[in-house]
Amino acid sequence: MIPAVFFGAGAFITGKIGILELSWDELTFLRFLIASAIILPLVLKKEHKNLKLKKNDAYIVILAGLFGMFGYHALFFMSLEYITAINSALLMATTPMVTSIIAAVVLGEYFGIKRIFAVFIAFFGVLLTITNGNLEVLKNLSFNIGDVIMFSAVLCMALYAVLSKKVAQKYSPSLILTYGYILTVVLLIPYMILKNPINVILNASLETWLSIIYMAVFASVLAQLLQQISLKYHGASKTMLFYQFVPIIVIGLSAIFLKEPFTKITAISTLFIMGGVYINSTIKRD
């Protein structure tokens, strides 16, 4: 899981680099076009007997792909036009908390006093992040649009996690991911044809192309495959615990590659968010 977490954290840096030249739709399309071309042959070989989805399951898998792949990544790239990679990673770190809330409502999962406390701590950190420590902003509701977009992305990823859980016992995670990858590409093909960004894409710098390849190969395919291996041998709780370190890694990488400032408010926000996520991860689920 150590390389998987580093690969995932790197997507915040490379995404920030890529959005300087290409738009959210171009980055999303290229990332998953390349990722689909890599993972599809692997899944066809491994899951060739289980490719067909039952009708009711197909609706859930499509919705999961719509939220978790298309929705999350489109909003993720949009947010990077307005906010730092650090803020994006801090907000992303709250995904387990948001997932717990949705799972409690939709699936009836346990949600006791300890989890309420964890949510309160984490979301206080979120408030510090999106207000930059000035809680007076709440009175005027003048949030940075990038923070709002990124939190919408978190909601999409949380919905993906809840929906995927409904079919996780019937199909492999890699198969569900592959359907999500392909759905994202298919949804964007008509838009790409109408927009016709071929000249912009071909004229993109080597740095941007390397960023796209990194996100497709390392942050998407390799990170997910490594995660699946960990899930098989160590289970979900131990595997997902590693992702709590993503914001810390992003903070370090952002300072090195993007020269993003690490303020006192960012440090305090990180402590609150990570504290809440850690407490949440120690709670046994029904």
Side-chain angles (χ1 to χ4, degrees), residues 129-140:
T129 299
I130 64 180
T131 62
N132 197 28
N134 181 15
L135 297 181
E136 290 292 317
V137 169
L138 296 175
K139 294 181 180 179
N140 303 318

Side-chain angles (χ1 to χ4, degrees), residues 5 46 51 63 91 93 98 161 174 198 202 205 218 221 246 265:
V5 168
K46 183 181 177 183
L51 291 175
L63 272 177
L91 292 172
V98 178
S174 57
I198 187 67
L202 292 177
S205 66
F218 292 92
V221 178
V246 167
I265 292 300

Side-chain angles (χ1 to χ4, degrees), residues 144-164:
N144 185 323
I145 186 64
D147 291 318
V148 176
I149 293 172
M150 188 58 205
F151 198 73
S152 299
V154 169
L155 287 173
C156 284
M157 185 54 72
L159 286 168
Y160 169 78
V162 173
L163 288 166
S164 296

Side-chain angles (χ1 to χ4, degrees), residues 2-198:
I2 294 174
V5 168
F6 269 95
F7 292 157
F12 290 88
I13 311 303
T14 50
K16 190 70 177 176
I17 292 170
I19 204 67
L20 295 175
E21 284 193 87
L22 300 180
S23 61
W24 66 268
D25 48 300
E26 292 158 357
L27 287 174
T28 306
F29 178 74
L30 291 171
R31 174 176 180 170
F32 288 104
L33 181 65
I34 297 170
S36 296
I38 296 170
I39 201 170
L40 185 57
L42 300 176
V43 170
L44 287 174
K45 182 179 180 180
K46 183 181 177 183
E47 306 286 344
H48 63 278
K49 295 181 179 179
N50 303 309
L51 291 175
K52 190 174 181 181
L53 303 174
K54 293 181 180 179
K55 187 175 181 180
N56 290 337
D57 295 337
Y59 293 132
I60 295 173
V61 171
I62 289 172
L63 272 177
L66 187 63
F67 283 114
M69 293 300 134
F70 178 78
Y72 168 76
H73 290 91
L75 291 168
F76 165 67
F77 285 125
M78 286 182 199
S79 74
L80 289 177
E81 294 186 33
Y82 304 98
I83 61 175
T84 63
I86 293 174
N87 272 30
S88 182
L90 285 174
L91 292 172
M92 178 59 189
T94 64
T95 302
M97 316 293 300
V98 178
T99 303
S100 294
I101 295 171
I102 295 175
V105 175
V106 177
L107 303 178
E109 287 193 359
Y110 174 73
F111 201 91
I113 298 299
K114 191 175 181 181
R115 180 158 284 145
I116 292 172
F117 178 64
V119 168
F120 176 80
I121 291 175
F123 280 99
F124 182 72
V126 170
L127 282 178
L128 289 177
T129 299
I130 64 180
T131 62
N132 197 28
N134 181 15
L135 297 181
E136 290 292 317
V137 169
L138 296 175
K139 294 181 180 179
N140 303 318
L141 294 178
S142 56
F143 301 125
N144 185 323
I145 186 64
D147 291 318
V148 176
I149 293 172
M150 188 58 205
F151 198 73
S152 299
V154 169
L155 287 173
C156 284
M157 185 54 72
L159 286 168
Y160 169 78
V162 173
L163 288 166
S164 296
K165 191 168 184 178
K166 288 180 171 290
V167 293
Q169 301 302 318
K170 301 178 184 179
Y171 309 100
S172 71
S174 57
L175 182 62
I176 296 172
L177 278 171
T178 302
Y179 275 112
Y181 288 1
I182 295 171
L183 176 66
T184 300
V185 174
V186 170
L187 287 173
L188 283 170
I189 284 175
Y191 184 60
M192 289 292 102
I193 293 173
L194 289 172
K195 187 178 180 181
N196 191 26
I198 187 67

